[in-house]
Amino acid sequence: MLNTEKRNPNSTHIDEMNTFDMLSVIQNENLNAALAVEKALPQIEKTTDKISERFNKGGRIFYVGCGTSGRLGVLDASECPPTYGVTKDKVIGIIAGGDTALRNAVEGTEDNFELGYNDIKKFDLNDLDSVVGISVAGGAKYVLGALTAAKEANALTVGLTCNEGSKINEISDLSIITDTGAEVITGSSRMKAGSAHKMVLNMISTCVMVKNGRVLENYMIYLKPSNEKLKDRMIRIVSEIGKVSYEEAQTLLEKSDWDIRKATAI
């Protein structure tokens, strides 16, 4: 039996607990998710370096998954353009069932190898691209189909799972395994397994963007002024980098078409 499908002895009587005790059990398992990510850091490091090398040469990053796994990939991909100024075609999230599956369960797509294969074939992959297949159990046929197509195109393939010896680990060039164990609610891998994978995706995309020169010190220098909050952040960044007042920083940005690098002459 997969570790993520086992029954958690710490929560066998959660239905009899008061609210605080329920929350305590869940939080203890959340901490275990973070520990699982820590143990996987060498795998994450190797993966990040390989992806970054390709990305810096013009490659793209693809996240492929079903259900929660797919939603996490789409989430991480969608946050890269506003945060790091990359175009939408540089980090791409693909979920089985398409955008409808972001809000609704789309039955049967997880088990469709051909659908995953064909969905990613549409992107004309090449050897600079990186495809991260996300599957807690590690056997989603949709993800296996996408990884198979990626390998045929000589793209880098990565399997992100929570279980040793899974099928996507076998097919992928690199593996990241966050062994989070049994869930508080048996089999509900949207919980700590999903939390662990969100952390891993955050790490990969953040480090790739830093290594791509899209961060100065710890400032987001490719921010886009898409709302008032981000405009304020951009002004404060320019103020701190240029050691000028808030008002002067705003003027510099306005004269530079809201480009932090131009405003600070980076």
Side-chain angles (χ1 to χ4, degrees), residues 113 138 143-149 151 157-159 166-175:
F113 181 97
V143 177
L144 288 169
L147 289 171
T148 299
K151 288 189 74 69
T157 54
V158 180
S166 69
K167 291 182 179 179
I168 71 167
N169 294 143
E170 293 173 5
I171 194 176
S172 298
D173 299 317
L174 299 170
S175 294

Side-chain angles (χ1 to χ4, degrees), residues 58-70:
R60 299 166 292 176
I61 303 171
F62 292 84
Y63 299 130
V64 184
C66 312
T68 298
S69 296

Side-chain angles (χ1 to χ4, degrees), residues 194-242:
S195 296
H197 283 177
K198 178 66 168 71
M199 289 185 232
V200 172
L201 297 179
N202 279 348
M203 288 177 167
I204 292 173
S205 59
T206 299
C207 291
V208 168
M209 295 302 162
V210 171
K211 293 167 78 69
N212 188 245
R214 293 187 170 268
V215 173
L216 175 68
E217 296 179 1
N218 60 355
Y219 294 121
M220 295 182 284
I221 57 173
Y222 280 79
L223 268 178
K224 300 296 183 183
S226 55
N227 58 44
E228 291 302 318
K229 179 189 73 173
L230 295 182
K231 282 186 176 181
D232 174 69
R233 183 182 298 163
M234 292 174 73
I235 294 168
R236 287 185 286 105
I237 288 173
V238 170
S239 175
E240 291 177 22
I241 291 176

Side-chain angles (χ1 to χ4, degrees), residues 30-142:
N30 288 340
L31 296 174
N32 287 333
L35 290 174
V37 173
E38 183 175 355
K39 291 177 182 177
L41 283 179
Q43 299 170 339
I44 302 169
E45 176 193 26
K46 186 175 182 180
T47 297
T48 301
D49 285 343
K50 293 289 186 182
I51 291 177
S52 180
E53 178 184 345
R54 287 162 173 77
F55 188 84
N56 289 355
K57 293 178 180 178
R60 299 166 292 176
I61 303 171
F62 292 84
Y63 299 130
V64 184
C66 312
T68 298
S69 296
R71 293 181 189 105
L72 291 173
V74 171
L75 173 62
D76 194 79
S78 67
E79 291 176 345
C80 287
T83 306
Y84 298 111
V86 294
T87 55
K88 293 179 180 179
D89 61 349
K90 292 296 290 180
V91 187
I92 300 166
I94 302 173
I95 182 171
D99 286 353
T100 299
L102 293 173
R103 292 181 178 274
N104 305 280
V106 180
E107 305 298 339
T109 53
E110 179 174 342
D111 302 321
N112 195 323
F113 181 97
E114 290 76 19
L115 183 61
Y117 184 94
N118 291 328
D119 277 356
I120 204 162
K121 282 279 284 187
K122 299 172 186 175
F123 289 91
D124 296 322
L125 299 179
N126 60 63
D127 59 359
L128 291 180
D129 293 326
S130 303
V131 179
V132 181
I134 312 166
S135 173
V136 169
K141 292 179 182 178
Y142 179 90

